[in-house]
Amino acid sequence: MESRNAHAPFFTASLVKVMIAEDVLTQRDQGKVHLSSSDMHMMHLMITRSDDFAADSFWDLGGGNAIVTRAAARYGLHDTHPPRGPWWFTTTSADDMVSLYDQIVTRRSTDPAVANWIVSAMRDFQPTGDDGENQTFGLPTALSREPVVGYKQGWMPLLDGNWIHDSTAIVGKSARYIVAIMASQPAPNGEDPTVSSIDDVAKALFPRGRIGAAAPVRAPATAPVRAPAHG
């Protein structure tokens, strides 16, 4: 287990879509909302291709900021807070994302049916986002030799000129490892150098393309990384 700046606050960008899916599916199983087969297809796209339109719809259906408030309470996420504005400005930490995934994969605080759906959707990760963005930065690039991995990525530019890139993974058939990298980087030369930076960090951590046979990791194998842009 290794971590650095594990509790530093970061914008989730699209990582919050996991919380949205978990909460709306939980509400469905409690009989509070109805989801059609078309809704379930949209939710799948929200996770696998990071579909923003789907996230907008389910954010509204689930109650907006209350989704994050409930998720933080249900999973004890002390660094996670609702956004001041759109859903992508939700704040969290690497430690909280690892804790969330850990409780999902071990079915603690989670309906097993909901947990199974989320893990399956993350394992169906698609390399291209719904907006045409390449989703394979960071961990998908670094863990190329891991046969069973589920990913959720997040990315967005900020008004201050920085780019956010969040890369998270549930690794192994039994989800033995959980990894989170969260990076905020200045991007004076555009997004590409920031992508290269997070790729370099992830590859340095896993130079053989896989995690390897080590003790189970239930904390940020890679905590928030503030890597300088280069290029």
Side-chain angles (χ1 to χ4, degrees):
M1 179 180 74
E2 181 180 347
S3 64
R4 180 182 176 189
N5 300 324
H7 294 281
F10 282 84
F11 289 122
T12 61
S14 288
L15 294 188
V16 74
K17 291 170 182 173
V18 176
M19 298 181 201
I20 295 172
E22 188 278 336
D23 188 77
V24 172
L25 289 171
T26 297
Q27 290 193 66
R28 177 204 62 181
D29 290 355
Q30 294 172 346
K32 296 178 180 178
V33 300
H34 172 73
L35 298 176
S36 66
S37 58
S38 177
D39 290 332
M40 293 305 298
H41 176 66
M42 284 181 60
M43 188 171 291
H44 186 260
L45 293 177
M46 181 177 72
I47 299 300
T48 62
R49 298 197 61 184
S50 209
D51 187 304
D52 288 343
F53 175 77
D56 289 341
S57 298
F58 292 120
W59 181 255
D60 291 340
L61 178 65
N65 283 15
I67 291 172
V68 178
T69 299
R70 285 190 294 265
R74 186 154 53 241
Y75 292 98
L77 307 178
H78 302 296
D79 303 321
T80 299
H81 305 285
R84 295 181 178 179
W87 49 260
W88 51 85
F89 287 122
T90 297
T91 54
T92 192
S93 66
D95 187 80
D96 271 8
M97 290 307 302
V98 169
S99 180
L100 173 66
Y101 290 172
D102 177 49
Q103 292 180 70
I104 287 174
V105 300
T106 58
R107 279 61 174 174
R108 284 181 286 136
S109 307
T110 311
D111 179 335
V114 172
N116 290 341
W117 189 93
I118 291 173
V119 171
S120 177
M122 288 180 65
R123 286 176 176 168
D124 199 25
F125 170 82
Q126 300 298 303
T128 304
D130 187 69
D131 62 357
E133 185 86 4
N134 184 344
Q135 292 200 94
T136 63
F137 60 85
L139 294 171
T141 294
L143 296 175
S144 59
R145 295 184 60 208
E146 285 288 351
V148 181
V149 190
Y151 298 107
K152 186 69 196 83
Q153 306 280 83
W155 62 91
M156 66 179 185
L158 299 177
L159 292 177
D160 63 6
N162 282 10
W163 263 87
I164 296 291
H165 284 94
D166 299 331
S167 185
T168 63
I170 295 171
V171 188
K173 188 174 182 180
S174 61
R176 187 181 185 192
Y177 302 97
I178 298 171
V179 191
I181 301 176
M182 309 185 78
S184 175
Q185 308 173 75
N189 299 314
E191 181 190 7
D192 288 350
T194 69
V195 171
S196 295
S197 289
I198 195 169
D199 285 349
D200 290 346
V201 169
K203 289 176 181 177
L205 288 162
F206 308 112
R208 298 180 180 178
R210 61 188 307 163
I211 290 180
V217 174
R218 293 301 186 194
T222 306
V225 175
R226 295 186 181 271
H230 65 290

